[in-house]
Amino acid sequence: MRILLVEDDPKTTTVLKRGLAEHGFVVDTAATGDAGLALARSGGYALTILDVMLPGKEGWEILAGLRQAGVQTPVLFLTARDGIADRVKGLELGADDYLVKPFAFSELLARVRTVLRRGPAKIQDAARVADLEIDLVRHKASRAGSPLDLTRKEFAMLALFVRRAGEVLTRTLITEEVWDMNFDSDTNVVDVHVRRLRAKVDDPFEKKLIHTVRGIGYVLEDRG
C-alpha cells in the first residue's frame, strides 16, 4: 500500500519512511509543496501525510487544490501548528485526521491504520466537472445541459474519470476498474474506448476535459 509523505524536515522524513516501511507500506516523499501537489495529483496513493509549513505551497493549499480537483485521497495532517483554529481549518478543508508534532510513531501508525480502515471517501451520487454533469445513481450524464448517449462501458469509464478528476489514471488502472480484469498491455482497448468517449464528451465542445498524459494514461480535468 503506497503512502505519500510531504514533509520538508529530512530527519522526520527518514524516521517516518523507515518506520512505515517496516510495517509494510511503500512510501514516496516530497520535500516541497509544489512537488507534493504534483505527486498527490498523479494518484495511486492510499493516503497522504501532509505537513502544513512547506517551502512553496503550504499544506492548506495542497489539500484545497486536491479537493477542488476532485481528488479524494485521504489526508492526515502532521504539523507543528497546534492551535485549535489550525486543527479546525485542516479538518474543514477536508483532512481525515490531524496530528500535532512532536508525536509518538506508535500513535501516528495507529491513526494511519484507522484512516485506511475507513476506506476511500464516500462516492457522491452526482458530480460535476466544468459543464459536465454525471448522475452515478441514475447512470445519466450531460454536458452543457445536453444528455450524453453513452454505452455501459463508456459510462463506467466516464464515472471513473469524474470520481478521480485531476488524477492521472494509467491504462492498467482503467482496465482493472472498468473491465475488472487485466488486458494484455500490448492491446489498445483503453485507447479505443477513450477515443469513442471523447467523440461524445469532448469533440462537440470547445473546452476539452479528457487529456492524454503521454506514456502514462489519461486525466479528466478542467484546465480553464
Side-chain angles (χ1 to χ4, degrees):
M1 189 171 288
R2 292 176 64 204
I3 290 178
L4 173 62
L5 171 62
V6 187
E7 167 64 62
D8 64 332
D9 179 63
K11 183 177 179 181
T12 302
T13 298
T14 299
V15 170
L16 288 182
K17 186 171 184 177
R18 182 173 62 237
L20 290 168
E22 288 173 351
H23 289 82
F25 296 101
V26 176
V27 182
D28 293 337
T29 63
T32 68
D34 292 320
L37 178 59
L39 280 174
R41 293 190 65 176
S42 69
Y45 295 103
L47 172 71
T48 296
I49 300 175
L50 187 58
D51 193 4
V52 172
M53 294 176 287
L54 293 163
K57 288 183 173 60
E58 287 195 333
W60 308 133
E61 295 178 75
I62 295 173
L63 177 55
L66 292 175
R67 296 299 185 248
Q68 190 172 22
V71 178
Q72 297 299 326
T73 303
V75 169
L76 187 159
F77 270 120
L78 182 63
T79 173
R81 300 279 288 266
D82 60 353
I84 296 298
D86 291 321
R87 298 174 191 236
V88 171
K89 181 177 181 178
L91 295 172
E92 287 190 339
L93 282 172
D96 297 81
D97 202 352
Y98 194 106
L99 182 60
V100 174
K101 300 174 182 174
F103 61 96
F105 179 77
S106 58
E107 181 180 4
L108 172 72
L109 182 62
R111 289 179 183 242
V112 165
R113 287 171 168 164
T114 297
V115 171
L116 293 175
R117 277 199 299 271
R118 294 177 193 155
K122 183 181 183 301
I123 297 172
Q124 296 179 336
D125 294 338
R128 180 186 183 99
V129 178
D131 59 355
L132 170 66
E133 296 180 88
I134 184 167
D135 187 326
L136 298 168
V137 176
R138 296 176 178 82
H139 279 236
K140 293 181 178 179
S142 64
R143 190 142 183 217
S146 300
L148 300 174
D149 184 16
L150 304 177
T151 66
R152 187 169 61 86
K153 286 299 182 190
E154 288 166 352
F155 184 88
M157 182 177 289
L158 182 61
L160 172 64
F161 281 138
V162 170
R163 286 199 307 269
R164 302 183 67 165
E167 293 185 40
V168 178
L169 306 182
T170 66
R171 291 172 176 80
T172 300
L173 185 146
I174 293 170
T175 58
E176 290 174 352
E177 294 285 332
V178 175
W179 283 271
D180 194 26
M181 61 183 292
N182 291 310
F183 283 112
D184 187 325
S185 59
D186 292 333
T187 66
N188 63 346
V189 65
V190 171
D191 299 323
V192 169
H193 279 76
V194 169
R195 188 159 57 244
R196 290 173 180 168
L197 185 61
R198 276 175 162 158
K200 298 178 180 179
V201 174
D202 269 351
D203 289 354
F205 304 93
E206 181 178 353
K207 177 182 286 188
K208 310 305 178 188
L209 297 177
I210 301 173
H211 307 279
T212 301
V213 180
R214 188 178 299 275
I216 301 178
Y218 299 93
V219 58
L220 184 145
E221 62 183 357
D222 180 4
R223 294 184 173 176

